[in-house]
Amino acid sequence: MSDAFDWDSFQPAFAIEAQRHGFLREDLLQTGAGALSAWTRADPGPVVYLSAGIHGDEPAGPLALLAWLRAGGCRAGVHWRICPALNPHGLAIGARGNAAGADLNRDYRTRMTDEISAHAAWLERGPLPALFVSLHEDWEAQGFYLYEINLGEDDPLQAERILSAVDPWFPRHGGDDIDGHVPRAPGWIFHEAEPDLADGWPEAIHLAKLGCPLSFTFETPSGAALSDRVGALEAALQTTLRFLPEGRCD
Ligand SMILES: [Zn+2]
């Protein structure tokens, strides 16, 4: 896999795979870099929402969702909602923010951007997810880490299983400060359902405020090879989806 991300080929490639697996497309917004698309396949079952590409300089997330789809990860018996590329302009040019330089993942409270205004409305008119998984990357990280927001029963084994699944790719981000947070264990930030910045809500806080009971945000080290970052995110996602009831993968 090349370390270059090609936005122009990603969009049609994802559409082909999603349609092959029975997903329906909804374009939430037209941007100068193409549509901001949401994909849904509403099987009877728990609602799972997957998100990637809100930071345009983090290409492994969109590519991991594409790889996961290609591998047939979207098993039956789940109501899937997927936004694989929330920041078309940023992904097209490899920039964190949108065309105006805004960090979309701090805009869920104020909704100043067209992207998040459209995306938050789509989230709110659909069913509440039982599980939210968000794929990110971190330029400052040396290893892998995750955020967990858990409004239900604490189950420390879940984070451990995810981190174990990623161990073949990356060490767990150590130290006593990860991205400004005190980790519960290496690689694991157990985050309250409150934002770090009062007006700078990220997507995961928005989902928690809506009532989504469990969310995981994964962060791979941006300096590593793209193929390893994609492989790690796909493994973390596959493991997380096994937490669902009757979590057998077809
Ligand atoms: Zn990010």
Side-chain angles (χ1 to χ4, degrees):
M1 182 183 293
S2 158
D3 263 27
F5 175 70
D6 181 1
W7 169 244
D8 291 333
S9 64
F10 175 81
Q11 283 268 63
F14 194 93
I16 287 168
E17 280 306 315
Q19 286 161 354
R20 190 165 76 84
H21 289 283
F23 281 77
L24 300 176
R25 171 180 179 162
E26 188 179 345
D27 289 342
L28 310 184
L29 179 72
Q30 294 296 335
T31 80
L36 194 178
S37 301
W39 295 89
T40 304
R41 197 184 74 196
D43 296 0
V47 179
V48 174
Y49 167 51
L50 310 178
S51 145
I54 197 168
H55 290 139
D57 58 348
E58 301 176 10
L63 290 170
L65 287 182
L66 176 57
W68 169 80
L69 259 189
R70 277 197 177 127
C74 54
R75 66 178 174 88
V78 173
H79 182 139
W80 299 103
R81 308 186 84 201
I82 303 178
C83 289
L86 282 167
N87 182 359
H89 184 272
L91 288 163
I93 65 166
R96 179 177 173 92
N98 70 356
D103 186 338
L104 301 180
N105 205 30
R106 300 291 181 272
D107 194 36
Y108 281 86
R109 181 177 176 84
T110 50
R111 302 184 191 177
M112 305 287 283
T113 64
D114 292 341
E115 290 92 338
I116 300 312
S117 184
H119 179 240
W122 174 80
L123 281 173
E124 288 165 13
R125 69 176 175 262
L128 183 70
L131 172 66
F132 167 51
V133 181
S134 174
L135 309 183
H136 280 256
E137 307 208 72
D138 186 339
W139 284 97
E140 295 172 349
Q142 301 302 313
F144 177 88
Y145 65 96
L146 63 84
Y147 291 86
E148 175 179 354
I149 300 177
N150 190 338
L151 307 182
E153 190 175 339
D154 186 15
D155 181 356
L157 278 180
Q158 291 184 327
E160 175 55 33
R161 285 168 65 190
I162 298 168
L163 292 165
S164 294
V166 175
D167 281 342
W169 280 273
F170 297 119
R172 304 175 188 194
H173 192 313
D176 54 12
D177 180 310
I178 303 179
D179 198 29
H181 301 87
V182 177
R184 184 171 179 181
W188 179 20
I189 299 167
F190 196 67
H191 202 284
E192 60 182 357
E194 295 298 329
D196 298 331
L197 303 169
D199 288 326
W201 288 18
E203 188 180 18
I205 293 298
H206 180 57
L207 266 292
K209 295 288 189 188
L210 288 175
C212 174
L214 184 61
S215 86
F216 291 97
T217 297
F218 304 141
E219 302 271 358
T220 51
S222 297
L226 183 58
S227 57
D228 288 343
R229 288 141 53 200
V230 171
L233 287 174
E234 190 183 358
L237 173 60
Q238 287 172 342
T239 300
T240 306
L241 294 173
R242 294 194 189 105
F243 303 160
L244 294 168
E246 301 169 19
R248 185 178 61 84
C249 287
D250 293 334

